Amino acid sequence: MRESDPFERVADILRDFIARSAAHDANDEFVSENFVDLKNARLMSAAVPVELGGDGLDQQNLSDLLRSMTRACTSTALAYSMHTHVVALLAWRWRNQKAPVDAVLKRIAAEQIMLISSGGSDWLESSGTAERVDGGFLIKGTKGFASGVLAGTLLNTSAVYNDPETGPTVLHFMVPLNAKEVTIETNWRAMGMRGTGSHQVHIDGFFVADAAIALKRPRGNWHPLFHIISMIAFPLIYSVYYGVAEAMRDAALDLVKRRPLTPQLIDLAGALDTELAAARVALADMLVATNGQPGPDTTNRMFQDRSNLARALLATADKALELAHGGGYLRTNPVERLFRDIQAARYHPLAPYAQRDLAGRMALGLPLDGKLC
C-alpha cells in the first residue's frame, strides 16, 4: 500500500465498516469506531492541500471517496462529508483567496482532528446570541444536527450580535468542543442515518476574542462566503446520497433476480435505472460547476442541480423499494435501511421553496436579498 493513496487506505477499513453498520443503525449508536479508523488511516486530511500535509484531493476525487465509503456505511460517509466539505472550503480559500487558514489545515493534517459544522441548521440567519464584552463576545446557543460531534475537535459555527450601529450581525468562529462551556446532548433519534451522531451542542457563555472572529456579515443576506459554501459543500454531501441510491439499486436488483422475471419487473428495473441516470447527470453537473467561480450564477446552478438530484434520488428509492417488493420491506434486507437513510436528502439547504425563490429571482433579474423592487 502506498501511504499517499487515500483510496487504498480507505479500502483497508471498509470491511470493518460493513460489519458494524447494521448494529449502529439498530441501536442509534454513533459510528465512533469508524472515525477512529479514519483518523488512524489519516483520512481526515484528504482535502487538505499536499503543501500543508494532506492528500490534496479535488472535488471529483472526494466525491468518489465518499461514494466508496457510502457502500460500506452510509452514516459514516455522511458524517465524514460534513467534516470534509469544511476542510475543502478552507483549502479553496487558502488557494484562491490567500486566506490565513493554513494553521488549521496544517493541524488537521498533523493531528487528524475533526471539524464539526452547524452551517446547515444556521444557514443565512444563524442562531444563538453573541453578547459584547471587553475584548470579545460571550456566546450562547444550541446548535442542532452537528453530525459526528462525538468525534469532533472544533465546532465551526456562528451567532447573532445585535450591533447598535449596523443591526443584527452574524459572527463566524470556531469553538473547541472540550471547552467547559460546551455540552453535547446525545438526542439524535432519527428515521435514518442513525449512526451519524447528529446531536445537539449547547454553548453557554463561551468567550470568543475579537481576533478569533473569522467573519462578520449582515444577518439573512447572501454573503460571498455562502456562494463558496454552496459551490464546495453540496456536491460532496449529495455524493453520499447518490451512493445510497446506487447501493439501493444494486440490492433491489439482487432481490429481483431471484424471482421469475415478468414484463412488469423488467419495466420497473428500467424505470429504476432511468431515475438513477437523472441523478447521475445532476451530480455530474454539480461537480463540473465546482471548477467555476463562486457567485449567484454558480449558486443558482448548484441548487437547481441539488433539487433535481434529490428528486431523482427519492424517485430511485421509490422504484427500488417497489422492485424489491416484500423482501425490501424487511429489516433483514439492506433495501429497507437504505430507503430510510436516503430520506435525509430532503432536508439540506436549500429547501424546495427557497430554491425556487432563488431561481425565480435570478431568472427575473431581481435582487437576491431584500425587497423585490
Side-chain angles (χ1 to χ4, degrees), residues 260-277:
L261 292 180
T262 65
Q264 290 78 13
L265 289 178
I266 294 170
D267 178 73
L268 272 175
L272 167 61
D273 265 13
T274 301
E275 296 293 356
L276 188 61

Side-chain angles (χ1 to χ4, degrees), residues 216-236:
K216 296 181 181 181
R217 62 178 176 86
R219 187 183 194 187
N221 290 353
W222 281 96
H223 182 275
L225 174 66
F226 278 79
H227 292 305
I228 306 172
I229 292 170
S230 301
M231 184 177 77
I232 299 297
F234 291 95
L236 300 181

Side-chain angles (χ1 to χ4, degrees), residues 118-135:
S118 69
S121 55
D122 279 332
W123 201 235
L124 301 181
E125 293 290 328
S126 188
S127 65
T129 61
E131 177 189 352
R132 193 64 161 123
V133 295
D134 187 33

